[in-house]
Amino acid sequence: QYSFMFGLLGIYLLSAGKGLGMLFNTSAVCLPQWAAIAACVLLPFAGTAREMGSYQSLVWVNIITLCGTVLIPLGYFIIQGVDEIRKEGSEMVLAAPMTWAGVLSGLSTFTFGMTSQFMLTEIISEMKDPRELPKAYVKISAPFQLVAFMVAGIGGYYYLGDKVDGMINENLPFNATLQVAAACLVIHMLISYLIKGVVFCRAILTKAKEKYANPDDQRKRSMAAWNAVVIPTLACAWLFANLVPFFGDAVDLLGASFTPLSCWVMPIVMFVRYYVDADEEERPKVSILEWIVMAAEMALGLVLMVLGTKSSIETIVSKWQVYGYPFECHCQGLWSTCACSADHYGMDWCEITALANASLANASAMGAALANSSLGSAIAGNLTGSS
């Protein structure tokens, strides 16, 4: 559970770094440095927030910025229209040909996005009335997540087609719209890190020095112990973010490896253990259909953990050779220059510039060749006349 949560912290920091790069796309700052700047911005909040509800107003800010991250790009796509936005050769089909790699990637992404079991116990512990959890989760949280994913996924697919790549805001041109969406992404990712980081760091501190883990303890020694966990966690999350500096592939890797283990396999194993150990009168009633569903879920989780993880690692390794290895600059989509983002939407002028430069170079080469030829002919004529 905590391994998966740590992976989330790395992805949040990576996304915040990418957001800063897109926000300040005229600055020649590399992705590792942007991720480090995001960590520095986060540190004062992470060093003082010891409960998920420490900054309650940030919950609403988080929801607003999440909506902005999704709706701002979609609004731009609607205004521009499909013909303007969709890449040449990209199309939208009702049912695309399925491949094992595509199925595993889709399952990994969906698993990553819709599983929240790893946080529910911590959320319950901070609720005033834990009995309200089913209402809050089933009627509010889960439907909101599902609608947000469907709007982003279906809307983005409709306008961008099957050639879409990366996050939805990465498909915006380098303009004010991209910068506003990037600002929303940065804030959303930093708040998400803050919420998950509180749970992760408190678990470590409880294990190491339980007497300093009480969030109500505001003594200097207790705060120093808290920050002694927060700062190394931030540093390690930054390292992980730069080991796999591709958002989609990092999501697939976590969704295939740790997510099924912590959110599917372990809860089923713990339930079966309780079912076996419980007395006859306390043992819950489980129908045959429920056992079949749990067995299918367990099988799917194991397949995803093995084949999905293998597929994700192979994809990541292949992209290292294309986009660069860990801790390299990774300026693609961050710098509004032809050297880094020639394939980015709205950068068509890079191809025109490259063709013009090539034509100019060819003209210069031909001019030099003609000049050399004329000079050689003149010298030869002079030599002949002299003889």
Side-chain angles (χ1 to χ4, degrees):
Q1 176 183 355
Y2 291 112
S3 299
F4 173 58
M5 199 173 296
F6 173 75
L8 286 176
L9 299 183
I11 288 180
Y12 293 151
L13 208 55
L14 169 66
S15 302
K18 282 199 167 188
L20 287 173
M22 290 185 285
L23 179 59
F24 302 102
N25 55 74
T26 57
S27 302
V29 179
C30 294
L31 181 58
Q33 284 73 44
W34 279 128
I37 292 172
C40 292
V41 172
L42 186 62
L43 182 57
F45 299 94
T48 54
R50 303 186 64 179
E51 292 182 291
M52 286 186 287
S54 296
Y55 297 98
Q56 294 185 4
S57 60
L58 293 182
V59 175
W60 292 105
V61 175
N62 197 31
I63 295 173
I64 293 171
T65 53
L66 170 60
C67 293
T69 303
V70 174
L71 297 180
I72 290 174
L74 287 178
Y76 182 86
F77 297 159
I78 292 171
I79 293 172
Q80 296 296 317
V82 174
D83 295 336
E84 178 67 23
I85 294 296
R86 191 176 294 176
K87 294 180 180 179
E88 185 178 353
S90 184
E91 59 181 359
M92 188 191 76
V93 294
L94 183 62
M98 290 193 298
T99 62
W100 277 109
V103 171
L104 292 172
S105 177
L107 283 173
S108 300
T109 303
F110 193 83
T111 302
F112 177 88
M114 290 301 296
T115 50
S116 55
Q117 296 92 319
F118 64 96
M119 284 287 292
L120 290 182
T121 53
E122 285 77 10
I123 293 173
I124 292 173
S125 68
E126 294 196 11
M127 292 182 68
K128 293 180 180 179
D129 185 2
R131 292 174 297 180
E132 291 291 318
L133 177 70
K135 175 183 176 182
Y137 183 72
V138 176
K139 294 184 178 181
I140 300 175
S141 177
F144 175 78
Q145 292 181 65
L146 184 59
V147 170
F149 287 132
M150 288 181 64
V151 169
I154 297 176
Y157 181 59
Y158 174 76
Y159 283 99
L160 298 170
D162 57 356
K163 303 298 182 184
V164 62
D165 188 32
M167 296 182 287
I168 189 170
N169 51 9
E170 289 181 293
N171 294 276
L172 291 171
F174 290 110
N175 57 18
T177 305
L178 172 65
Q179 291 177 305
V180 175
C184 290
L185 175 67
V186 171
I187 297 171
H188 174 58
M189 289 294 104
L190 292 181
I191 295 175
S192 299
Y193 181 104
L194 188 64
I195 294 172
K196 304 294 194 303
V198 166
V199 177
F200 182 82
C201 293
R202 189 166 60 192
I204 294 179
L205 185 58
T206 301
K207 192 71 174 179
K209 289 286 184 180
E210 187 173 0
K211 63 179 180 179
Y212 298 132
N214 186 351
D216 297 326
D217 186 358
Q218 297 297 316
R219 292 177 301 167
K220 292 183 179 179
R221 183 174 295 180
S222 179
M223 294 302 297
W226 174 253
N227 281 272
V229 175
V230 168
I231 295 174
T233 299
L234 260 175
C236 292
W238 177 83
L239 288 172
F240 177 77
N242 287 282
L243 284 175
V244 189
F246 317 111
F247 175 81
D249 299 317
V251 166
D252 287 350
L253 179 60
L254 275 184
S257 55
F258 290 107
T259 308
L261 178 63
S262 62
C263 297
W264 292 353
V265 175
M266 291 308 300
I268 293 175
V269 170
M270 289 188 289
F271 174 78
V272 172
R273 177 62 186 269
Y274 169 76
Y275 184 88
V276 172
D277 293 344
D279 296 331
E280 189 68 31
E281 59 276 7
E282 296 180 356
R283 183 175 295 169
K285 294 182 179 180
V286 184
S287 66
I288 296 178
L289 179 61
E290 289 175 310
W291 284 118
I292 293 174
V293 171
M294 283 191 285
E297 188 175 352
M298 175 72 79
L300 178 61
L302 294 175
V303 168
L304 199 56
M305 286 171 59
V306 177
L307 299 181
T309 302
K310 177 179 178 293
S311 177
S312 297
I313 292 175
E314 289 175 349
T315 302
I316 290 170
V317 172
S318 67
K319 286 193 175 181
W320 278 351
Q321 299 173 0
V322 176
Y323 296 115
Y325 289 90
F327 299 98
E328 291 190 1
C329 190
H330 297 289
C331 61
Q332 296 87 357
L334 304 185
W335 297 4
S336 54
T337 62
C338 294
C340 284
S341 306
D343 295 332
H344 192 85
Y345 175 70
M347 299 290 284
D348 299 335
W349 56 272
C350 290
E351 185 177 353
I352 299 174
T353 303
L355 291 173
N357 290 336
S359 300
L360 182 61
N362 289 335
S364 299
M366 289 178 63
L370 288 172
N372 291 334
S373 176
S374 300
L375 180 61
S377 299
I379 294 173
N382 291 334
L383 290 175
T384 303
S386 299
S387 60

